[in-house]
Amino acid sequence: MPAADEDRAWIWDPTLYAGSAAYYSLGRVAYPADVVKELVTVLDLDGTGRLLDVGCGPGSLTLLLAPHFAEAIGVDADADMLAEAARNAAAQGVRNVSWRQLRAEDLPADLPSPQVVTFAQSFHWMDRPRVAAIVRDMLGQNGAVVHVHATTHQGIETDAELPYPKPPWEDVTGLVRRYLGEQQRAGQGFLPRRTGGDEDAVYRAAGFVGPQRIEVPGGIISRTVDQLVASVYSLSSSTPHLFGTQLPAFDTDLRNLLSESGPGGVFSEQMRSVALDIWR
């Protein structure tokens, strides 16, 4: 791809995660329980107040935190993600949460003021200066933003002894590139060389003070072939619609690759720690 195309600014479009919502619950590793414990302590959560989870996806973090608020609101631009979130809420018996299809840039819309706003693996997709300024205005005097740094689709390298083979992520990435090309896809376009970063400067420019950082260690987990396949399809860079008519062939190749790498059908990996940046 020509360098000019690689450097062209990426523009959000509604197909960014099209078709991936159904794969999230199976393919993404849940946040450690200590994430909730740490936030309950540091934010003094007591079952009152309102949570606003921006870019909530299928409610992965929203539903963990909702029981510690009087009300929780999950906002996402993808209707399928919100439908999955509603199904997850019903399955888990969480009744104090509502869902709104809304881009972060369109906040505050008609939403009430929250006490806590969370961005869990979502802020980098947004017009960050604009969204940070909006959220600063929405928050009450003692409100806080929690920026969650995490990688939940795959683990990291480790010297620790694992009970099962590591997933062959490099080979999986190579297979995706063979079908979709070397440049990473994102919706109808291609991902710039760098997204996110410099969040500290963005938050401070919006008037936030901090951050207070909390690190929650990741654990060693085991995953099946179906979970790893779902993990691949949960990504914006390899969501099912990108493969078009080649999806059945890709799916077969992916499952064959995993089966050859882990004959028993089970893999293990060390998950990355989760970093919680709290801004006030």
Side-chain angles (χ1 to χ4, degrees):
M1 174 170 297
D5 288 339
E6 289 187 3
D7 293 337
R8 187 179 302 159
W10 177 80
I11 299 175
W12 179 88
D13 72 75
T15 68
L16 180 60
Y17 278 97
S20 67
Y23 295 98
Y24 250 75
S25 296
L26 183 63
R28 297 292 182 115
V29 177
Y31 291 110
D34 282 348
V35 166
V36 176
K37 292 179 181 178
E38 293 285 358
L39 291 178
V40 167
T41 299
V42 74
L43 297 176
D44 196 23
L45 303 181
D46 59 3
T48 64
R50 182 179 297 110
L51 168 70
L52 176 62
D53 189 13
V54 184
C56 65
S60 305
L61 183 63
T62 329
L63 297 176
L64 293 177
L65 290 177
H68 301 282
F69 290 87
E71 178 188 8
I73 303 171
V75 168
D76 202 278
D78 190 294
D80 290 340
M81 287 288 188
L82 295 176
E84 189 71 13
R87 283 191 288 270
N88 290 337
Q92 297 174 33
V94 180
R95 296 182 176 85
N96 68 329
V97 61
S98 59
W99 312 100
R100 287 288 301 272
Q101 185 178 2
L102 195 69
R103 289 194 68 197
E105 291 81 357
D106 295 328
L107 289 169
D110 58 349
L111 297 181
S113 178
Q115 280 63 57
V116 176
V117 174
T118 50
F119 295 100
Q121 303 181 78
S122 61
F123 195 55
H124 61 288
W125 293 120
M126 303 169 188
D127 181 339
R128 298 172 302 147
R130 176 178 174 181
V131 172
I134 291 172
V135 167
R136 176 69 274 176
D137 289 341
M138 289 182 71
L139 281 170
Q141 184 175 2
N142 297 317
V145 163
V146 180
H147 185 111
V148 181
H149 302 268
T151 303
T152 55
H153 66 282
Q154 71 178 63
I156 58 176
E157 290 297 322
T158 179
D159 294 329
E161 185 175 349
L162 300 174
Y164 300 102
K166 299 177 184 178
W169 287 120
E170 287 189 11
D171 293 335
V172 170
T173 298
L175 181 64
V176 171
R177 288 175 175 169
R178 180 152 62 86
Y179 275 85
L180 299 182
E182 291 294 321
Q183 180 80 10
Q184 184 173 329
R185 296 292 302 273
Q188 297 300 308
F190 297 88
L191 199 66
R193 288 192 177 98
R194 183 170 182 257
T195 59
D198 69 357
E199 282 91 0
D200 287 8
V202 173
Y203 283 118
R204 290 191 180 111
F208 287 97
V209 176
Q212 176 184 0
R213 172 161 286 203
I214 300 169
E215 295 272 353
V216 178
I220 293 175
I221 64 163
S222 295
R223 309 176 77 180
T224 66
V225 169
D226 285 342
Q227 287 173 319
L228 295 179
V229 170
S231 175
V232 173
Y233 292 145
S234 76
L235 296 171
S236 61
S237 58
S238 51
T239 190
H241 79 91
L242 294 175
F243 295 92
T245 59
Q246 291 187 303
L247 180 60
F250 172 78
D251 192 82
T252 297
D253 286 345
L254 176 59
R255 290 179 182 277
N256 287 342
L257 169 61
L258 294 173
S259 296
E260 291 169 2
S261 300
V266 181
F267 300 83
S268 293
E269 55 184 340
Q270 170 71 55
M271 299 306 295
R272 186 185 301 276
S273 63
V274 177
L276 308 170
D277 281 351
I278 299 173
W279 295 88
R280 300 183 186 269

